Each structure stands twice: as C-alpha cells, then as structure tokens.
Amino acid sequence: MNKNIDNKYVNLYINTLELLQDGAADFVNQARSEAIESFTILGIPDKKVEKYKYTNLKSAFEQDYETYFAPKTVNFQPVDIFKCNVPDLDTYKIYTLNGFYYGDKKLKNKNGIIWGSFAEASRKYPELVRQYYNKYADNANDGVTALNTAFAQDGVFIYFPKNAALEKPIQIINLLINSEDTFIQYRNLFVFDENAQAKVLICDHTLSAAKFLSNCVSEMAVGQLANVELVRMQNEHNRAVHVSSDYVVQQSQSVVNGHTITLHGGLVRNNINVRLEGEHCENHTYGLSLTDKKQHIDNYTFIDHVVPNCRSNELFKSVIDEQSVGVFNGRILVRQDAQKTQAFQQNNNLLLSYEAKMCTKPQLEIYADDVKCTHGATVGQLNEEALFYMRSRGIGEKEARMLQLFGFVYDVLQKLNLEILRERVADLVNKRLRGELTRCEGCDIQC
Amino acid sequence: MLIYLFVYLIFQINNSTNSQNKHSMLQIKNLQASIEGKEILKGINLDIKAGEIHAIMGPNGSGKSTLASVLAGRERYEVTGGEVIFEGKNLLEMSPEERSRAGIFMSFQYPVEIPGVSNVNFMKAAVNEHRKYNGLEPLSASEFLKMMREKMALVEIDPKLTSRSVNEGFSGGEKKRNEIFQMAMLDPKLAILDETDSGLDIDALRIVANGVNKLKTPENSIIVITHYQRLLDYITPDRVHVLYNGRIIKSAGKELALELEEKGYDWLKSM
C-alpha cells in the first residue's frame, strides 16, 4: 500500500515538532515521540485492517490540507454566527474552534468541578492530567489514534471530583470554519471520579464549505459508582470527514449511557471503545445515523468485558437513503475471567433506496463459560403493509412514510435520559428525515 | 333472542320508513379484479344505499377480502373492468388516503403492527388529515385527548393502549377493538368490516358488535364481510349477499344468513 500518505504525516510531524511542543505539558510531549513511532509502523489504516474493512480512510487522508498549530484569530464571534439547532438548552456551553478551545482560557470551576481548555488544564493541573492522559488511547493498535497523540495540542478537559454532581449538562460545541481545506486534530480528556454525576453533550458542526478532516480522540475515565450521560450529536456537511475515537474505561458499579447521533456528515467513522474494568458496571451504548446522498457513516464499537458481573447493552440504528453507505461493526470481548457477563447487541437498518448499502458485522468473542450474550442484526425496507394501513386511515403517503421512519428510530431516542434533550433531538431527527435539515440555521453552506 | 328480535323490529321500522327515499351511497357495477394475472372478481354488482347494512358471505377463496381490498384501494389488486361510484365520485381513481378522507373505512382482517408509532400519534395524524379535507382546523391536544377517551370507552379499550405502538403486542381481540375504535374516531360514511369477527371469543365479539351498533346512524352504511352468521346475531343486515367464485350468486334479506348457517354453501354453488 501507498506509504507516501503515511510519510506525509511523519514529515509534517518532524517539521512542526517545535510548534507542537511549544507551551505543551512535558507528559503530553513525551507521549508524542512514542505515538509517532507507533504511527510509522501502523500508518493510516487501509481496508486490509480488519476493523477498517468497510471504510477507506486512506483516500481521505491522501488529500492535502492546511494545518495550523496555534489558535487562529478570527474577525468574528463564532457564537454570533453559530445558531445552535438545539437552542435555549440550559447548559454550560463551551466552544472549540477548529480544534482549539475558544474563548476565555481561564478554566471554569464550580464546586471543584473543572472544565475548559485541555492545553490550559495540562499546564495548570499537570499532576491531575498526567494521571489519566494517554492511559487509555490505543496508540499501539490504531494508527489514527496514534496520529492524534503525536499531534494533539488542545481540546476539552473535564474533571468531576469525588461525589461531585452538576445538574446542568456541559455542552461542548465544536465548530469548524476556514476558507481552505483543513486538517484538525484535537484531544479531549474527561475524568469522572468516584460517585460523580455528569452529563456531557458534544455537538459537531461545520460553518464553512471547505473540506475538513477531523481526527478527535476522547479519553474518559469513569470512577467507581460514577454515573455519566454522554451525548454526541454530529451535524457536519457532506465534504467533512470525521474520525472520532472514544476510549471509555469504567470502574466498579459505574454506569455510562452513551449516545452517538449522526444527523449529517460526509464520511464519519466513530470508534467507541469501552473497557469494563470493575465489577457490576453497566454500559449502554446507543447510536443513530441518518444518511443520504453519498454519505458514509461507520460505527465501530468494542466492548471489553474484563471482569465478572458487568452488563453491556448496545442498540444502533440507521436509516440509509440514496447512494449512502452505513456500517456497523460491533465487537464484544468477554474475557476468561468475566463470568456472569451480560452483553446484548442489536443493530437494525432501514434501506430507503435500491442503491443504499449497509454492512453490519456482529463480532462476539467469548472466553468465559457462564455468560449471557445476544446479538441481532437486521437490514430491511419500509413495511408496505403498514404504509397501506396508514394510508387507509387518511394519512398521505409521504406522511405515512415519515411516521414509519420516525417509529423506526423512536426507541433509540427514547433511551436519551435527558428529557429536554430527548424532545429537541426528536425534533431534529424529524426535520432531518423530512429533508429540512439540509442546512443549519445561521449557516450558508448548502450541504 | 329477545334482543335479537328487538333489534330486528327496529330495523324493520327503519327500513320501511327510510329506505325508499335514501340516496345511493355505493354502486358497484360489473367490477372485475385480478391479482398477479389471476382473476378473482368476475363481475360484481352491488348497490348500497345510505343507512343500509349489507352482509357479504361466502366460502373461503370466493373473493370477499379481495372485494374489501379493492374498495379500500390496495394496490396489489388490479381492477380489470367495471366501475365503483361512491357518493357520485369515481372511487377507483382515488388513492387509499383520498378514499379514507372521503368517508370509506376498512376494518382490516389482519390489523398491521407498526412499531414505534403510538396509537395517539397515528390517530392524531389521521383525524387531522380528515379535518383538513373537510376544511376544519386541527384539534387541540386537549380536544383530541377528550375525543380519544370518549371513543375508547365506546369499544371498551384500556386507555393504557393509547401510548403503546399501533397494534404491537395487542391480543387478537384488542386489535379488532382497535379497528372499531379507529372507525369511531374517523366517523366514516361507509365502513367495510372485513372478517372483524374472526378469532374473537364471544365476549370480544359482543363488545366489537356493540361498538359498531353504537356508531350506526340512519345516514351511514356498513358492509359486513364474514364467514359465519354469528356476527349477524348482533349486527343485523338489511341485505345478505353470497359471493362465490368472484360473483354474487344470491341476494336476499337477513334470513338468508340463517339459512346459510344451517345448510352451508353447497346448495347455492350449482346456481
């Protein structure tokens, strides 16, 4: 395979190392050299790498992009031109602009709960950040993650100390805006200590028509008894390529509800890695993607049951229209010691056109002998009989299709624990299915 | 039996006073239809006046459900000849939703389960489409819920079923009651009950039939399609037609149903 693409990024690293290291914490810089070595071996995964079999990242990385290594000054307030399409949501909002924390660098602090710029946090709280940073990201096996670790400069840091709780969600709004095609890498670190209660909402948006390639890695340490609700809403345009890799590690009796809702995006690859390290953990990973045109959305999940008595539950649905492609690869590993594991996985897909395509692959590896694991995958079309039934009650054909589509995605939305968000997301999904979300408010890109 | 006689008497009175001056609601003329090239209906003629109840009986495979499906507009069936006039309009040119809005309702033999679509949302969409067709504003949430509650009581449906998905996990009886509930919500001019009695125990049958009777007015008409005379103990027809091999081979008053129950269909097949 073409090594030139990989060399391009290695050279970029060598040429910009000084810029990358400038002002960064020592442990962040130390991680770089190891990561670039790993990347040199792994490279950008091609289709021969099993877990990237259905998604060609090479061609996305092959193109030349503008990259920059310090926050760009812009002559406008992103907050002004960006109108959140989940408006008036009562949250603590923070922004990143092209991967750099935007706004007041001073970290927010409420009852010991800290959130804000990752770069700033790693300078101000090096001892705290060092404990967790790069401890979970799988640089040794995933080339894209290794590339991120080599280049990471900023992103968002969240810390909930023991017993801390925040009523309102923290909302991270990632904005992409540039006149040139741009390559962006950013790094999030979320630490939820023992018995913390947290809700985090991440929204990804593009605000200009240029092509964007984003490579985002998020590490999340979830302490024992902690309860975390994590919602990711992806709404980027058709020229955007987004690779998002989550590494979630849960300690005993913790509960994590994760939702990945992909409303829009050109090429999206979500890597959701969950490692259940403590007993009696509960993990729920939900996903919904809606695609049309030539979009390609690939959800890869890896649930690693290390210890006994944990429960994991996955539900992923996609609605695939026109020439778009959906991928779901759900790997569950139940290690030899992980007796009494309960692991469930379900993936349902609806194809709306003859050219739409879905690749789904459950992958269960079970080495313990006393476990309960199930998986199921379906690929189907709208039910003609149900359409006729609705039409025979006076509901027009288009509306009947909408009702059925919405009915199909409904149970994923029902899993959102934040009621206010559930309504808003339902509304957005409804708009998306009706084709009314082809452009976001306040944005002039025709997606 | 007493109730039966009572209902019978009322109908006789109704018939004698009303049927002469009532307008024709549905006229089926020489209707022919086929599915996948196979001819099922071979020339049906039927005239249903406003306020009338017609029963269509016949053995399996005679074309009863095909007739219901063609009237409701199911696209699988191809109409190869004849015409159907509903309230002066050419029914066969209308889409299924237009037929519904114009006042035709078919109770399905096998009501469809629609996962994820709640009964409330389903009915709200349907009722408001009907209102729009009639030039009315959509109902407010509270008006709609009030209407739902009233109509549910009519067919003794557990209000808990409203928030559940349409027909999903419903028992056979609940599904059929849900059909009549929908009929109550949409207040059709012409209801076609396709084997609404099949699979119902005697209590469920009575509830469903009572619901239908409560919805009957001197203006609206009903076509009852059934195998058995049982349902006709509760819903008394003005006319009974026997459909056999795609044609109506005999039409008579309600006493024909009893005769069929006794003798079966064989004596008619040679006709």
Side-chain angles (χ1 to χ4, degrees):
Chain A
M1 192 64 200
N2 195 347
K3 262 319 217 186
N4 291 344
I5 302 169
D6 303 337
N7 290 338
K8 180 174 81 174
Y9 291 101
V10 174
N11 289 335
L12 182 70
Y13 174 81
I14 293 165
N15 295 335
T16 54
L17 189 57
E18 260 176 54
L19 290 170
L20 291 170
Q21 287 178 333
D22 185 34
D26 58 343
F27 57 90
V28 174
N29 286 332
Q30 277 156 19
R32 292 187 204 284
S33 48
E34 221 171 287
I36 200 71
E37 258 176 56
S38 179
F39 176 77
T40 313
I41 299 162
L42 296 166
I44 301 296
D46 57 28
K47 287 188 160 193
K48 284 182 200 140
V49 177
E50 184 64 24
K51 69 178 213 180
Y52 284 95
K53 194 173 168 184
Y54 303 102
T55 299
N56 181 3
L57 285 183
K58 278 266 186 203
S59 61
F61 279 82
E62 191 170 15
Q63 201 199 316
D64 288 326
Y65 297 91
E66 183 182 328
T67 41
Y68 53 91
F69 303 95
K72 232 181 181 176
T73 46
V74 284
N75 54 0
F76 57 83
Q77 294 284 318
V79 189
D80 292 341
I81 63 163
F82 170 71
K83 298 277 184 296
C84 182
N85 48 21
V86 190
D88 310 320
L89 200 63
D90 195 10
T91 57
Y92 297 106
K93 290 185 182 60
I94 51 177
Y95 295 84
T96 72
L97 186 67
N98 297 342
F100 289 94
Y101 187 85
Y102 178 82
D104 185 3
K105 278 277 179 276
K106 197 164 171 285
L107 293 160
K108 312 277 186 300
N109 190 327
K110 197 171 160 51
N111 308 326
I113 300 166
I114 301 164
W115 69 97
S117 157
F118 167 76
E120 182 66 15
S122 56
R123 285 188 291 263
K124 199 163 173 205
Y125 303 102
E127 289 319 306
L128 175 63
V129 179
R130 184 199 302 272
Q131 258 185 70
Y132 300 96
Y133 179 72
N134 206 34
K135 294 288 187 289
Y136 310 116
D138 192 5
N139 298 306
N141 294 300
D142 190 302
V144 188
T145 295
L147 189 67
N148 179 289
T149 305
F151 282 89
Q153 290 181 279
D154 203 1
V156 172
F157 174 75
I158 296 175
Y159 174 68
F160 277 63
K162 189 174 169 181
N163 298 329
L166 209 52
E167 198 60 28
K168 292 198 277 183
I170 294 176
Q171 184 181 10
I172 304 167
I173 300 168
N174 297 313
L175 302 175
L176 301 178
I177 182 164
N178 202 15
S179 51
E180 304 299 319
D181 292 354
T182 311
F183 179 38
I184 284 145
Q185 305 204 70
Y186 55 102
R187 184 79 165 215
N188 297 325
L189 176 63
F190 306 158
V191 178
F192 308 102
D193 219 330
E194 189 180 333
N195 202 31
Q197 309 266 323
K199 297 162 194 158
V200 179
L201 169 62
I202 304 173
C203 303
D204 297 324
H205 292 276
T206 39
L207 291 182
S208 64
K211 186 165 181 173
F212 292 97
L213 170 60
S214 312
N215 177 18
C216 167
V217 169
S218 306
E219 292 178 286
M220 302 179 209
V222 183
Q224 60 172 310
L225 290 157
N227 190 311
V228 178
E229 178 93 8
L230 183 82
V231 181
R232 189 189 294 277
M233 302 254 293
Q234 298 172 320
N235 195 9
E236 298 183 344
H237 64 54
N238 285 335
R239 303 187 68 216
V241 179
H242 189 121
V243 184
S244 161
S245 305
D246 288 354
Y247 294 92
V248 181
V249 176
Q250 287 184 238
Q251 303 307 325
S252 63
Q253 298 175 72
S254 61
V255 179
V256 172
N257 283 305
H259 303 260
T260 302
I261 297 166
T262 313
L263 293 168
H264 219 284
L267 173 69
V268 179
R269 163 73 180 215
N270 293 309
N271 293 311
I272 300 163
N273 301 281
V274 176
R275 192 175 150 88
L276 303 172
E277 270 189 1
E279 288 196 39
H280 301 286
C281 280
E282 217 178 286
N283 178 278
H284 302 272
T285 299
Y286 304 111
L288 172 63
S289 58
L290 312 169
T291 61
D292 58 8
K293 309 237 169 65
K294 291 195 173 354
Q295 296 171 350
H296 181 115
I297 313 283
D298 179 348
N299 284 309
Y300 173 86
T301 65
F302 175 34
I303 314 289
D304 186 355
H305 283 265
V306 182
V307 294
N309 295 313
C310 289
R311 219 163 76 101
S312 70
N313 180 27
E314 285 178 85
L315 173 63
F316 276 77
K317 289 199 168 188
S318 48
V319 179
I320 307 153
D321 201 357
E322 297 176 356
Q323 297 93 40
S324 62
V325 179
V327 181
F328 175 75
N329 185 170
R331 182 175 174 212
I332 296 173
L333 173 60
V334 181
R335 294 181 192 256
Q336 202 167 0
D337 290 339
Q339 299 294 0
K340 304 283 178 195
T341 287
Q342 291 185 49
F344 307 111
Q345 182 188 89
Q346 193 187 327
N347 172 233
N348 308 104
N349 308 288
L350 202 53
L351 299 178
L352 298 184
S353 80
Y354 286 108
E355 295 148 299
K357 184 174 158 186
M358 178 71 206
C359 312
T360 174
K361 183 178 159 201
Q363 191 183 345
L364 276 68
E365 293 168 45
I366 301 167
Y367 299 100
D369 53 16
D370 183 14
V371 301
K372 198 191 274 181
C373 299
T374 64
H375 67 91
T378 61
V379 180
Q381 292 93 45
L382 285 177
N383 181 350
E384 290 296 327
E385 189 60 21
L387 285 178
F388 175 67
Y389 188 66
M390 289 190 269
R391 292 177 71 189
S392 79
R393 300 303 182 243
I395 300 169
E397 193 176 357
K398 193 174 170 228
E399 197 58 32
R401 285 170 67 87
M402 280 306 143
L403 273 175
Q404 208 183 121
L405 283 177
F406 201 72
F408 175 75
V409 303
Y410 178 76
D411 55 347
V412 182
L413 301 179
Q414 272 308 94
K415 308 288 186 196
L416 281 164
N417 285 335
L418 296 163
E419 193 175 346
I420 176 84
L421 193 60
R422 192 161 59 221
E423 283 167 29
R424 301 287 168 83
V425 173
D427 187 46
L428 277 179
V429 167
N430 203 349
K431 277 187 175 158
R432 172 68 173 100
L433 291 172
R434 286 172 194 280
E436 291 166 13
L437 204 73
T438 49
R439 44 177 293 184
C440 318
E441 237 180 292
C443 141
D444 56 4
I445 311 158
Q446 298 290 334
C447 294
Chain B
M1 205 56 197
L2 208 61
I3 297 169
Y4 174 65
L5 268 173
F6 181 64
V7 173
Y8 175 63
L9 277 172
I10 287 179
F11 259 97
Q12 288 305 306
I13 295 161
N14 264 346
N15 278 350
S16 56
T17 52
N18 288 337
S19 62
Q20 295 309 311
N21 50 13
K22 283 290 180 182
H23 71 278
S24 186
M25 180 172 281
L26 185 79
Q27 287 168 286
I28 303 176
K29 294 175 191 163
N30 192 28
L31 180 65
Q32 296 155 49
S34 61
I35 182 165
E36 287 158 8
K38 189 174 183 289
E39 194 180 25
I40 310 278
L41 302 182
K42 299 171 181 171
I44 304 267
N45 292 291
L46 205 56
D47 187 3
I48 297 171
K49 291 191 164 45
E52 289 182 344
I53 298 179
H54 287 235
I56 296 178
M57 303 183 73
N60 275 333
S62 57
K64 301 188 300 292
S65 285
T66 300
L67 178 60
S69 292
V70 168
L71 293 178
R74 198 187 282 273
E75 280 152 5
R76 267 212 311 273
Y77 295 91
E78 192 194 348
V79 176
T80 50
E83 60 175 349
V84 181
I85 306 297
F86 174 68
E87 296 269 272
K89 281 175 280 201
N90 181 352
L91 188 76
L92 298 177
E93 280 183 352
M94 297 159 79
S95 66
E97 54 268 35
E98 286 167 339
R99 295 179 197 205
S100 167
R101 293 167 199 164
I104 287 189
F105 177 89
M106 178 171 83
S107 165
F108 279 53
Q109 186 177 357
Y110 305 108
V112 185
E113 300 192 4
I114 316 176
V117 179
S118 70
N119 265 317
V120 185
N121 287 342
F122 176 49
M123 272 298 104
K124 197 185 276 171
V127 167
N128 284 334
E129 287 280 7
H130 279 249
R131 290 180 66 85
K132 197 164 124 195
Y133 178 84
N134 291 315
L136 298 168
E137 291 289 306
L139 287 175
S140 73
S142 64
E143 286 169 326
F144 180 77
L145 287 176
K146 184 165 170 273
M147 180 182 177
M148 284 246 335
R149 270 199 300 274
E150 282 170 17
K151 307 295 183 190
M152 288 190 125
L154 205 67
V155 279
E156 300 176 35
I157 282 190
D158 185 344
K160 282 193 208 106
L161 294 184
T162 47
S163 53
R164 296 243 310 259
S165 295
V166 177
N167 292 323
E168 197 183 35
F170 286 26
S171 70
E174 282 171 334
K175 282 182 182 170
K176 294 298 172 82
R177 269 188 276 171
N178 198 26
E179 293 293 289
I180 306 307
F181 159 69
Q182 291 173 28
M183 174 179 161
M185 292 293 286
L186 300 175
D187 191 21
K189 289 177 184 155
L190 172 68
I192 304 159
L193 309 182
D194 187 9
E195 307 249 358
T196 295
D197 50 341
S198 66
L200 293 187
D201 63 46
I202 195 73
D203 293 321
L205 183 74
R206 197 175 51 238
I207 292 168
V208 164
N210 282 342
V212 173
N213 284 329
K214 284 181 210 159
L215 296 171
K216 185 74 191 69
T217 70
E219 280 77 39
N220 60 23
S221 310
I222 300 175
I223 299 175
V224 182
I225 292 174
T226 180
H227 256 343
Y228 308 104
Q229 192 266 342
R230 208 165 55 128
L231 180 64
L232 304 178
D233 284 345
Y234 299 94
I235 303 172
T236 312
D238 299 286
R239 298 290 290 168
V240 175
H241 310 277
V242 177
L243 189 62
Y244 177 68
N245 197 18
R247 287 189 184 91
I248 288 174
I249 54 168
K250 188 169 175 62
S251 298
K254 59 156 217 59
E255 65 286 351
L256 178 59
L258 288 167
E259 208 176 340
L260 289 170
E261 182 79 357
E262 225 170 88
K263 299 200 223 164
Y265 293 101
D266 285 344
W267 63 284
L268 285 169
K269 286 180 182 173
S270 54
M271 288 177 81

